[in-house]
Amino acid sequence: MTMTANKNSSITHGAGGTKAPRGTLSRKSFEFEDASSLQSLYPSSPTENGTENQPKFGSKSTLEENAYEDIVGDLPKENPYEDVDLKSRRAGRKSQQLSENSLDSLHRMWSPQDRKYNSPPTQVLELRRPMDSRLEHVDFECLFTCLSVRQLIRIFASLLLERRVIFVADKLSTLSSCSHAVVALLYPFSWQHTFIPVLPASMIDIVCCPTPFLVGLLSSSLPKLKELPVEEALMVNLGSDRFIRQMDDEDTLLPRKLQAALEQALERKNELISQDSDSDSDDECNTLNGLVSEVFIRFFVETVGHYSLFLTQSEKGERAFQREAFRKSVASKSIRRFLEVFMESQMFAGFIQDRELRKCRAKGLFEQRVEQYLEELPDTEQSGMNKFLRGLGNKMKFLHKKN
């Protein structure tokens, strides 16, 4: 009964005390909000006995009114994530401060002044690159494994005069190693033309081009290679140490005496290396790579080592090479004939152009050997062409005695 009275009182409006329709008992509405808003707009007036008229709401209506007031009156903030944002900004500024402080401390730690007095007690390793890169990624052993000394010199002569050379082998590693090694023999000159150590079978038609090249092909491409209209080229089978095709003049391309000296030095390479190991010479000369490189460098020293004597400089500081005077200064007829052809190559032109454009003197093993060579020449002789073995240094002096 108490609940009924409360329900009846909660739906009573106005002075008449009339009851609301029955269907409104189970329906929740916002009438309480309206009443509350009306009360705020029209405040209660005093009654005759001096007391204010109070709205007669039951306990349940009051609770519901308060509940709606909490919902309606507690307006949402404009930025509900404001607190989070402030915290993130504060954290960002803090991390930025830490980063700046860390960078400052790191800079102070590695500043030259602090590093001078506070260097860590560690071992210092000094790495120094060679003066020239002639022996980088090069293994001459593969050449002597696949080729005889005479065949190797024939290939060297063909490349020196910029002919077309094709290597054929069963393995990719053999093609790559031999191709890079034979190009390294040209130091201090550089191959200026097409160089493809491993030519894909799909690109085999490249061997038909008329320009100089050095390419490598797998043996599986050999049948197709023989069918192609290849112009004059030297084809070398690295697996059998024989020429598949040749020009038949490979033995006459180099000066005769210098070619003989090359063969003699390379044939006795093992003996020279063992003798070098007992001397105080450089460690590089005690290896096969070092010795082979020295042998071919000596060949170029004997043929073009006097080039610097014919580099003239104008008043403007421009250098110019006296080609004809350079060639005629050679006493040997066979070397002069060789130079007539070699001086027309792109390798020689690039070599001289590099020296003409240099503001300072070139540095490298070849220039060191040239300087030693020029100091040994008598004033009346500008090329000691028949002193090849003597010029190889003390490590080959026993060869000179037998010459």
Side-chain angles (χ1 to χ4, degrees):
M1 296 298 292
T2 305
M3 291 179 61
T4 305
N6 289 338
K7 288 182 180 179
N8 294 333
S9 63
S10 65
I11 60 174
T12 303
H13 295 277
T18 59
K19 294 183 180 180
R22 192 164 188 173
T24 59
L25 292 175
S26 61
R27 180 176 60 88
K28 293 186 179 180
S29 66
F30 292 100
E31 293 177 356
F32 302 105
E33 296 180 29
D34 298 337
S36 176
S37 60
L38 288 173
Q39 183 180 1
S40 62
L41 291 174
Y42 301 98
S44 60
S45 60
T47 59
E48 294 180 356
N49 58 2
T51 60
E52 294 180 354
N53 292 326
Q54 299 293 336
K56 298 180 181 180
F57 297 116
S59 60
K60 183 176 180 180
S61 64
T62 305
L63 292 174
E64 291 180 357
E65 178 185 358
N66 294 337
Y68 284 111
E69 284 178 358
D70 293 340
I71 297 174
V72 176
D74 192 9
L75 297 176
K77 297 181 180 179
E78 295 181 0
N79 187 1
Y81 303 101
E82 184 177 0
D83 295 339
V84 179
D85 183 60
L86 289 175
K87 291 180 181 179
S88 62
R89 290 180 183 177
R90 194 178 301 112
R93 287 195 297 268
K94 186 174 181 181
S95 62
Q96 182 178 3
Q97 260 184 345
L98 290 174
S99 300
E100 292 177 356
N101 294 338
S102 301
L103 289 175
D104 291 341
S105 61
L106 184 61
H107 175 72
R108 289 194 302 270
M109 181 175 64
W110 289 102
S111 61
Q113 184 177 1
D114 293 343
R115 186 164 58 243
K116 181 177 180 182
Y117 300 102
N118 300 324
S119 58
T122 58
Q123 184 180 2
V124 178
L125 300 177
E126 181 180 354
L127 302 178
R128 183 173 56 184
R129 185 173 179 172
M131 299 178 65
D132 49 60
S133 58
R134 71 191 190 283
L135 299 182
E136 288 185 350
H137 312 294
V138 171
D139 181 17
F140 290 134
E141 180 66 34
C142 65
L143 292 178
F144 296 101
T145 301
C146 300
L147 300 168
S148 63
V149 171
R150 175 159 294 185
Q151 296 288 71
L152 177 59
I153 293 179
R154 291 171 178 172
I155 297 171
F156 168 75
S158 298
L159 291 176
L160 202 57
L161 299 187
E162 295 182 338
R163 294 185 172 184
R164 291 174 286 275
V165 178
I166 303 174
F167 284 166
V168 180
D170 296 331
K171 298 181 180 180
L172 296 176
S173 58
T174 303
L175 291 175
S176 180
S177 300
C178 290
S179 298
H180 285 91
V182 76
V183 167
L185 297 179
L186 302 175
Y187 172 86
F189 300 92
S190 301
W191 181 253
Q192 303 288 326
H193 302 279
T194 303
F195 175 57
I196 309 177
V198 180
L199 181 66
S202 59
M203 301 174 61
I204 195 173
D205 292 339
I206 289 180
V207 300
C208 298
C209 68
T211 58
F213 58 75
L214 171 59
V215 299
L217 285 172
L218 289 174
S219 301
S220 56
S221 301
L222 186 57
K224 187 176 181 180
L225 175 64
K226 293 181 178 180
E227 297 175 358
L228 293 175
V230 182
E231 296 188 10
E232 298 177 345
L234 178 63
M235 299 183 185
V236 184
N237 190 331
L238 297 176
S240 60
D241 186 26
R242 65 182 184 87
F243 291 161
I244 302 173
R245 183 183 299 179
Q246 62 187 67
M247 305 288 295
D248 295 329
D249 63 345
E250 288 80 8
D251 287 327
T252 62
L253 300 179
L254 300 180
R256 180 177 55 85
K257 291 184 178 180
L258 291 183
Q259 181 171 340
L262 273 176
E263 290 186 16
Q264 185 178 6
L266 294 177
E267 289 287 357
R268 307 185 65 175
K269 58 184 180 299
N270 295 330
E271 185 178 353
L272 297 177
I273 292 174
S274 61
Q275 182 183 4
D276 246 0
S277 61
D278 299 333
S279 64
D280 296 332
S281 58
D282 297 337
D283 292 339
E284 186 177 284
C285 297
N286 299 335
T287 64
L288 177 64
N289 277 12
L291 177 64
V292 173
S293 178
E294 288 281 358
V295 168
F296 283 92
I297 286 176
R298 187 62 196 185
F299 171 85
F300 289 117
V301 167
E302 293 283 355
T303 52
V304 300
H306 58 295
Y307 79 93
S308 59
L309 302 177
F310 299 91
L311 277 175
T312 60
Q313 189 168 351
S314 64
E315 296 179 356
K316 297 181 180 180
E318 298 177 352
R319 293 185 177 184
F321 181 64
Q322 308 298 321
R323 294 174 56 91
E324 202 59 28
F326 165 78
R327 186 183 64 83
K328 291 181 178 180
S329 66
V330 180
S332 171
K333 293 182 179 179
S334 61
I335 294 179
R336 283 202 306 269
R337 288 193 298 267
F338 166 76
L339 289 178
E340 287 179 1
V341 181
F342 180 59
M343 289 172 63
E344 299 299 324
S345 66
Q346 291 292 326
M347 282 190 293
F348 185 82
F351 174 84
I352 294 298
Q353 184 179 17
D354 177 71
R355 269 61 181 177
E356 288 177 335
L357 297 178
R358 281 180 179 268
K359 295 182 179 180
C360 58
R361 189 171 183 178
K363 295 181 180 180
L365 181 61
F366 177 71
E367 276 68 26
Q368 294 178 12
R369 298 294 182 259
V370 165
E371 186 176 354
Q372 298 171 1
Y373 168 75
L374 294 177
E375 290 177 356
E376 296 172 358
L377 289 181
D379 296 337
T380 58
E381 183 182 8
Q382 295 185 353
S383 59
M385 301 304 174
N386 296 328
K387 301 177 182 178
F388 181 89
L389 296 177
R390 179 187 300 175
L392 288 177
N394 294 331
K395 56 183 172 296
M396 295 185 177
K397 61 184 178 181
F398 72 98
L399 289 179
H400 172 64
K401 294 179 181 179
K402 297 181 179 182
N403 192 12

